[in-house]
Amino acid sequence: MMVHRAMLRRIYDWCIDAAHKPYAMWILAAVSFAESSFFPVPPDIMLLPMSLAQPKRAWWFAAVCTIASVAGGVLGYAIGALLYDSLGHWLITLYGLPIRSKPFARRMPNGAL
């Protein structure tokens, strides 16, 4: 199974629409967390409309986005370091990237991938 352009477009449109909902802060944090570990859509598509709609809260939105992104990055690291053989390999295959990961793996010391 590979991620298709139409699916990414639906996710993008959903994120733009969600930026105007009352619970947008929670969605922004979830998208930011997921994007830094496995989700292919950046949180900027929500951060910008939310910040433009409420400029006085823009720094708060950016802080939430940053904190969630760092937490997601820790999960992404754990996926690569601890779960590569199961979950990591599945994600690489899902996004159609096994061909691109092999040259990278050859450059890693001790065949880290």
Side-chain angles (χ1 to χ4, degrees):
M1 182 171 116
M2 198 165 147
V3 177
H4 297 283
R5 186 178 302 259
M7 184 172 75
L8 287 176
R9 184 64 191 189
R10 283 193 307 270
I11 293 169
Y12 174 84
D13 291 340
W14 179 84
C15 286
I16 289 289
D17 185 52
H20 303 289
K21 304 246 191 273
Y23 47 85
M25 179 69 75
W26 292 105
I27 296 172
L28 175 66
V31 168
S32 182
F33 178 88
E35 185 270 337
S36 61
S37 51
F38 59 87
F39 192 56
V41 178
D44 307 3
I45 60 173
M46 287 186 67
L47 182 59
L48 185 60
M50 290 171 65
S51 296
L52 290 174
Q54 299 179 35
K56 291 183 179 180
R57 297 188 69 200
W59 285 106
W60 174 245
F61 296 149
V64 167
C65 193
T66 301
I67 292 166
S69 182
V70 169
V74 170
L75 174 66
Y77 179 82
I79 289 171
L82 307 172
L83 302 173
Y84 176 77
D85 291 332
S86 57
L87 184 59
H89 184 69
W90 177 78
L91 283 170
I92 288 173
T93 304
L94 175 71
Y95 293 122
L97 300 174
I99 294 171
R100 292 185 182 174
S101 67
K102 290 185 194 277
F104 178 75
R106 283 193 294 266
R107 287 185 276 168
M108 296 297 293
N110 303 328
L113 291 179

